[in-house]
Amino acid sequence: QQQQQQPQHQQQLQQPQQQQIPQRRLKRLQQQQQHRGTAATAGMCVSAKNAASATPRRRFRFFDMAGQTVYLQLQKFIFTGHALYLVVFNLGDFVATREAAASALNYVRNCLVSIHTYAEGAPIFLIGTHKDKVPDGPDGQHLRVSMLLDDAFGSQGLLSQIVRNEEEGLVYFPCNNTKPKKDPTVTHLRRAIETQAADIDQNQLPYPVHWFALLTALQAQNKKKLIDMAEVEKLAEPLELTARKEVERALTSFALVGLIFYFPHLSQNLVILNPQWLIDSFVAIVRDHRQHRLACPTSAAVHKRQWQLLVEQGVLNPALLPILWAQHTPEEQAFCLQLMAELHLMVPTLINKELQYIVPALLPLTLSSSSRRGSSGGSS
């Protein structure tokens, strides 16, 4: 339970400053916040799909994460050792120019380091797409890329969790994603993924039956985005789950496989029933704002300076929160704000005696002279 007297910045976190927005304008902003089906993933997309050939039937849950470095900070509370990881890259980058190959290697390295850090021991598949544009040919381009990956990461121990392409003798799987049904490598890849998934299932301890009953009860609360522990315990009581520690163990197990989000070590001991909702809440702020723009033309004109500070300097003004989180209730905004602060995705600070939030993932590598002049009079 939260203490009655809290630090001042925590009280401000729970009550974000909000400007009154007319109902008609708020509705328009909510419509603008909807996903627009862009080709590039913004943040992460959660989906589920049945495996076509797995026996017994197996359902996979996908967390499709964008590759921009701005999203690396989200990985620390999403990655888990109870998952498979597919690191996807464009084969064409490795055969284009030295600069493109170096950039592709750096991207793969960042992915491998993150997985080794937050999901030690989890199987990793390296997948090279656009094989139709990079055919193997007599010069053995696919083998050259494999040797390049081996030389770059083998000595660093970053390939210890890699599932190799045994059929072709490569460290990765080159795939034609335009005609996957006609590509034998895609078939090999699917079979390898299903085999690794079966191994993970066999190595995990089985859930008690009443844990499944609790999971079913939680999933029945599909109209709620999050619930507190008191509600969870009320659902668990008729299921003979009366010990709080066992309830917490069950919730932790569900979180490890991506069914919910659960952060028992934080002050707000809430269970997030809809992982996509929480990810979208984070990504509304922690995103590549230049590539994945939020369509808020009216608010951009009203809060032009605040938008500029967020995009260019990584400084979030609370006046933007009702726009970035237009679909959230005030209580949901307060929850997300405090959760992001406790996860260090945002840092509350005073700038010119005004509460604002530093977003580390958006901080520029260098500070321009105009930025230094603009913030020189403030205190933090």
Side-chain angles (χ1 to χ4, degrees):
Q1 295 182 353
Q2 295 183 354
Q3 297 178 355
Q4 292 183 354
Q5 294 190 4
Q6 301 174 340
Q8 183 178 3
H9 74 83
Q10 286 192 2
Q11 295 176 0
Q12 291 169 321
L13 283 176
Q14 293 177 352
Q15 298 295 332
Q17 300 176 8
Q18 299 185 17
Q19 295 183 357
Q20 294 295 324
I21 300 177
Q23 191 65 27
R24 184 179 300 176
R25 182 183 170 198
L26 180 60
K27 185 176 181 180
R28 183 171 67 251
L29 290 173
Q30 290 173 343
Q31 293 172 346
Q32 291 170 344
Q33 292 283 45
Q34 298 293 330
H35 292 293
R36 297 178 179 268
T38 55
T41 302
M44 181 177 292
C45 179
V46 181
S47 61
K49 188 176 181 180
N50 292 329
S53 59
T55 303
R57 183 181 178 186
R58 180 171 286 106
R59 186 167 179 81
F60 285 90
R61 192 168 176 84
F62 294 91
F63 286 71
D64 181 11
M65 174 168 278
Q68 290 82 9
T69 55
V70 70
Y71 301 117
L72 290 176
Q73 285 203 1
L74 302 179
Q75 296 174 356
K76 61 186 177 183
F77 64 88
I78 295 175
F79 281 10
T80 165
H82 299 259
L84 306 170
Y85 292 85
L86 315 182
V87 178
V88 184
F89 56 87
N90 188 338
L91 266 177
D93 293 337
F94 282 88
V95 298
T97 63
R98 287 187 177 181
E99 292 76 12
S103 178
L105 282 173
N106 188 54
Y107 160 74
V108 174
R109 179 181 291 106
N110 286 337
C111 293
L112 294 177
V113 169
S114 291
I115 298 169
H116 275 260
T117 302
Y118 303 118
E120 185 178 2
I124 305 172
F125 294 83
L126 296 179
I127 302 173
T129 61
H130 297 79
K131 184 170 71 171
D132 53 311
K133 297 181 180 179
V134 187
D136 201 10
D139 54 350
Q141 290 191 101
H142 295 172
L143 180 59
R144 283 165 47 197
V145 172
S146 183
M147 294 173 63
L148 187 61
L149 292 167
D150 242 328
D151 292 342
F153 308 128
S155 60
Q156 301 175 17
L158 293 177
L159 300 182
S160 59
Q161 298 173 215
I162 294 295
V163 179
R164 295 178 177 262
N165 180 356
E166 301 293 350
E167 285 79 3
E168 299 175 81
L170 304 174
V171 74
Y172 72 103
F173 293 79
C175 295
N176 180 353
N177 44 312
T178 62
K179 298 179 180 179
K181 293 183 179 180
K182 297 183 179 180
D183 186 352
T185 302
V186 175
T187 303
H188 299 155
L189 174 61
R190 285 175 174 162
R191 189 181 300 120
I193 290 173
E194 292 171 6
T195 299
Q196 290 294 326
D199 290 342
I200 291 178
D201 288 346
Q202 291 176 1
N203 292 331
Q204 288 181 347
L205 292 176
Y207 290 166
V209 174
H210 48 292
W211 286 21
F212 283 106
L214 176 60
L215 178 60
T216 301
L218 291 173
Q219 292 174 336
Q221 309 291 313
N222 52 13
K223 292 184 179 180
K224 297 182 179 179
K225 302 180 182 73
L226 48 90
I227 61 175
D228 60 27
M229 277 299 295
E231 293 180 85
V232 175
E233 291 177 328
K234 189 175 181 180
L235 293 173
E237 188 174 350
L239 306 174
E240 300 181 1
L241 273 168
T242 55
R244 185 184 178 94
K245 287 187 177 180
E246 187 177 4
V247 173
E248 291 176 346
R249 285 198 301 270
L251 294 175
T252 300
S253 297
F254 301 155
L256 285 174
V257 293
L259 295 172
I260 61 171
F261 279 148
Y262 177 54
F263 306 101
H265 60 287
L266 302 182
S267 63
Q268 300 191 80
N269 198 0
L270 296 174
V271 178
I272 295 87
L273 300 176
N274 186 345
Q276 185 70 69
W277 172 80
L278 187 65
I279 292 169
D280 288 345
S281 302
F282 290 173
V283 171
I285 296 171
V286 181
R287 70 193 289 123
D288 187 338
H289 286 273
R290 290 181 174 85
Q291 180 171 351
H292 301 127
R293 295 179 180 272
L294 291 172
C296 301
T298 305
S299 62
V302 174
H303 301 288
K304 184 176 181 180
R305 177 57 180 162
Q306 287 90 338
W307 280 111
Q308 186 178 8
L309 283 172
L310 176 63
V311 175
E312 296 182 1
Q313 298 181 34
V315 178
L316 172 66
N317 190 298
L320 295 179
L321 291 176
I323 300 164
L324 293 167
W325 290 335
Q327 296 178 330
H328 291 36
T329 65
E331 293 77 13
E332 290 170 350
Q333 290 185 26
F335 165 75
C336 290
L337 188 61
Q338 182 158 343
L339 183 60
M340 291 188 71
E342 293 192 29
L343 291 173
H344 308 298
L345 296 174
M346 295 195 307
V347 181
T349 187
L350 292 176
I351 300 178
N352 295 331
K353 298 182 180 180
E354 181 181 2
L355 175 66
Q356 301 197 53
Y357 298 89
I358 303 297
V359 185
L362 301 184
L363 289 174
L365 295 178
T366 58
L367 194 63
S368 65
S369 57
S370 60
S371 299
R372 287 193 289 268
R373 288 195 299 271
S375 61
S376 59
S379 59
S380 60

